[in-house]
C-alpha cells in the first residue's frame, strides 16, 4: 500500500524552547508572522521544544511553569488554539522516532560546522558538549518534517538549523523515494521578518536565557527600566545604520515596528536628541504597542487548566500527523512488516 498524504500549499511549523518568557525579539522575529499566517488561513503548528531545553543545561528548571507561560504568551499574542495546533514535542512519540533515521543522513563534520550550534555552545551552561546539543538541528528537522512543514517563521539564528532540515529532507528523498520516484518530504523554507535579530539590552542577540531580554509580559515600569539600561553609544545624532551602530539601530527599529513606521523616519525625527530621548520614545512605543497584549495576558493567566488543555488537544492533533509521516517513512525504508 502506498500512503500519499495531501499537504496544503502552506503548512507552517515553528516553535520556542520553554526556557523563560517570550520577549520582543520573539514577537517581531517570528510571533507576529505566525499570527499573520494563521489569520490568512495557513495550516499552523507551533511547538514547545521542551526536550531542547536540556541541550545546553543539565536540568530543565521549572519546565511545567515555563511551558504554560509559553502557551500564555502565544494566546495573548493572538494564536488561536482552534486554528493553530499548539503542542509540546515530548508528547509526540512518532515525531521523536524520526530522529533515528535522520541522524544517519548527516555527518559529524557537518554538524560541527553549524554556526548556531557553535554560538549556543559558547553560551552553554554545561562544561562539555552533550550529544543532544550537537544533534539539536537534526531534532529540529524531526520537528519540521514530522508535519511536512513548508514554511518556518524564524529568527536569523535558526537559518543554519533550517539548512540541516532541508539537507535531511533532500537526502531522505534521494535515498528512499516512493515507488513512483517522488519524495516523502518537502524542503521547509525560512520566513524571516523585518527584525530577524533584535538585540538585547547588552547589545547581543536578545535571548530568554542571557538576561538581556524585555519580556512581553513585563510591566510598563520594568520595560522602562530595562530600556533605560540598554547599551547605546556616545553619538548624540540618532541614525538608523544597523551595520555600524547596531545597538542604537536596534532601538530605532523596535520603535518603528511598534509605531508601524520606517526606522529611517523615526531616526530623523529624533535628530540630535541623543540616547536618552531615543530610549524614552522606545519605551512609550513598546508600552503602548503591548498594552492590549498585556491586558489579554493578565486575563488568560488566571486559567492554568485551560493552558494545559490547549497542549493536550494539540498533542493529539500533532500526533495524528506525525504518526502518518512515520508510517510513510517506515514504508519507503522497507520497515513495514
Ligand atoms: P534561549 O536563550 O533559551 O535559546 P531564545 O530567546 O534564543 O531562548 P528560542 O526559543 O531559542 O529563544 O527561539 C525561538 C524563536 O525565536 C526562534 O525562531 C528564534 O530564531 C526566534 N528569536 C529568538 N530570539 C530572537 C531575536 N532576538 N530576534 C529575532 N528572533 C529571535
Ligand atoms: Mg535560542
Amino acid at each position: 500500500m502506498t500512503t500519499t498524504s495531501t499537504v496544503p500549499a502552506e503548512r507552517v511549523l515553528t516553535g520556542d524552547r520553554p526556557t523563560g518568557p517570550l520577549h520582543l525579539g520573539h514577537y517581531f522575529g517570528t510571533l507576529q508572522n505566525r499570527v499573520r499566517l494563521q489569520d490568512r488561513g495557513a495550516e499552523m503548528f507551533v511547538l514547545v521544544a521542551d526536550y531542547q531545553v536540556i541541550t545546553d543545561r543539565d536540568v530543565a528548571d521549572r519546565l511545567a511553569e515555563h511551558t504554560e507561560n509559553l502557551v500564555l504568551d502565544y494566546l495573548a499574542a493572538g494564536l488561536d488554539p482552534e486554528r493553530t495546533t499548539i503542542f509540546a514535542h515530548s508528547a509526540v512519540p512518532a515525531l521523536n522516532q524520526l530522529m533515528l533515521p535522520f541522524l544517519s543522513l548527516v555527518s559529524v563534520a557537518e554538524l560541527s560546522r553549524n554556526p548556531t550550534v557553535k554560538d549556543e555552545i559558547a553560551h552553554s551552561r554545561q562544561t562539555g558538549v552533550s550529544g543532544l546539543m550537537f544533534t539539536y538541528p537534526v531534532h529540529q528537522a524531526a520537528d519540521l518534517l514530522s508535519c511536512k512543514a513548508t514554511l518556518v517563521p524564524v529568527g536569523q539564528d535558526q537559518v543554519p538549523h533550517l539548512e540541516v532540515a532541508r539537507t535531511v529532507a533532500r537526502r531522505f528523498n534521494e535515498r528512499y523515494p516512493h515507488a513512483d520516484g517522488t519524495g516523502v518530504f518537502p524542503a521547509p523554507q525560512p520566513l524571516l521578518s523585518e527584525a530577524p535579530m533584535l538585540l538585547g539590552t547588552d547589545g547581543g542577540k536578545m535571548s530568554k536565557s542571557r538576561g538581556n531580554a524585555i519580556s512581553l509580559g513585563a510591566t510598563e515600569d520594568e520595560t522602562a527600566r530595562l530600556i533605560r539600561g540598554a547599551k547605546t553609544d556616545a553619538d548624540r545624532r540618532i541614525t538608523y545604520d544597523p551595520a555600524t551602530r547596531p545597538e542604537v539601530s536596534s532601538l530605532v527599529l523596535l520603535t518603528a515596528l511598534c509605531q508601524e513606521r520606517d526606522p529611517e523616519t523615526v531616526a530623523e525625527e529624533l535628530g540630535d536628541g541623543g540616547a536618552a530621548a531615543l530610549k524614552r520614545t522606545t519605551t512609550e512605543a513598546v508600552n503602548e504597542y503591548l498594552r492590549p497584549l498585556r491586558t489579554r495576558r493578565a486575563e488568560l493567566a488566571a486559567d492554568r487548566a485551560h493552558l494545559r488543555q490547549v497542549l493536550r488537544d494539540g498533542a493529539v492533533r500533532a500526533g495524528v500527523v506525525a504518526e502518518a509521516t512515520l508510517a510513510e517513512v517506515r514504508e519507503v525504508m522497507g520497515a513495514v512488516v
Side-chain angles (χ1 to χ4, degrees):
M1 187 196 75
T2 308
T3 330
T4 34
S5 41
T6 344
V7 181
E10 225 164 37
R11 192 177 257 192
V12 176
L13 183 136
T14 190
D16 313 277
R17 303 199 306 158
T19 45
L22 290 186
H23 50 67
L24 287 163
H26 294 117
Y27 188 84
F28 289 113
T30 146
L31 199 44
Q32 192 180 46
N33 271 340
R34 299 178 197 179
V35 177
R36 286 178 181 152
L37 286 162
Q38 168 193 274
D39 292 348
R40 79 172 196 227
E43 192 174 353
M44 298 289 302
F45 294 84
V46 171
L47 76 84
V48 176
D50 48 359
Y51 271 143
Q52 287 172 4
V53 174
I54 45 174
T55 53
D56 61 355
R57 62 202 81 195
D58 294 331
V59 171
D61 254 353
R62 295 151 66 203
L63 186 60
E65 181 191 331
H66 286 321
T67 300
E68 285 173 15
N69 284 341
L70 213 50
V71 179
L72 179 58
D73 283 329
Y74 292 157
L75 303 190
L79 288 179
D80 168 8
E82 297 296 318
R83 291 179 288 160
T84 292
T85 298
I86 299 173
F87 68 103
H89 65 181
S90 70
V92 180
L95 176 159
N96 292 289
Q97 198 175 325
L98 287 175
M99 178 120 173
L100 288 169
F102 288 178
L103 279 169
S104 76
L105 298 167
V106 285
S107 70
V108 170
E110 282 171 317
L111 291 173
S112 50
R113 280 197 296 269
N114 184 302
T116 300
V117 170
K118 283 188 191 160
D119 184 55
E120 285 171 348
I121 287 170
H123 287 89
S124 165
R125 297 186 194 172
Q126 291 179 315
T127 40
V129 179
S130 74
L132 188 61
M133 165 63 104
F134 203 57
T135 53
Y136 180 4
V138 185
H139 195 211
Q140 221 157 290
D143 290 339
L144 291 165
L145 300 181
S146 70
C147 75
K148 300 190 181 181
T150 53
L151 195 62
V152 193
V154 280
Q156 185 69 47
D157 62 308
Q158 291 301 312
V159 172
H161 282 7
L162 214 60
E163 211 36 67
V164 175
R166 293 165 60 79
T167 301
V168 165
R170 196 185 63 248
R171 289 185 187 157
F172 189 91
N173 291 345
E174 281 165 10
R175 207 169 286 185
Y176 306 107
H178 279 301
D180 65 359
T182 58
V184 172
F185 295 113
Q189 304 279 351
L191 176 70
L192 293 176
S193 74
E194 288 164 282
M197 181 150 66
L198 201 72
L199 301 185
T201 51
D202 60 357
K205 177 185 107 60
M206 189 179 285
S207 296
K208 287 184 232 100
S209 7
R210 297 185 193 174
N212 66 357
I214 299 157
S215 61
L216 299 179
T219 64
E220 298 202 357
D221 285 350
E222 263 166 348
T223 304
R225 184 178 53 77
L226 291 167
I227 295 177
R228 224 176 8 252
K231 188 174 169 205
T232 48
D233 57 46
D235 188 347
R236 284 200 64 79
R237 177 141 200 93
I238 302 303
T239 54
Y240 181 63
D241 193 351
T244 58
R245 297 183 77 190
E247 297 92 356
V248 163
S249 299
S250 200
L251 288 175
V252 171
L253 177 63
L254 179 55
T255 309
L257 288 166
C258 290
Q259 296 179 339
E260 294 175 17
R261 296 198 310 158
D262 284 339
E264 289 81 6
T265 317
V266 170
E268 219 164 274
E269 268 179 27
L270 284 159
D272 290 322
L278 168 62
K279 288 176 178 179
R280 274 195 303 277
T281 306
T282 307
T283 301
E284 269 170 40
V286 168
N287 280 339
E288 189 154 327
Y289 186 83
L290 289 182
R291 209 162 286 139
L293 182 153
R294 285 170 168 166
T295 307
R296 269 197 309 279
R297 195 180 187 283
E299 287 160 11
L300 290 158
D303 193 354
R304 311 300 288 186
H306 173 62
L307 304 175
R308 286 194 293 276
Q309 191 59 43
V310 165
L311 286 168
R312 277 196 291 272
D313 293 346
V316 172
R317 267 144 59 188
V320 171
V321 177
E323 287 283 354
T325 305
L326 179 62
E328 204 179 332
V329 161
R330 294 185 67 244
E331 185 186 313
V332 293
M333 292 180 74
V336 174
V337 286

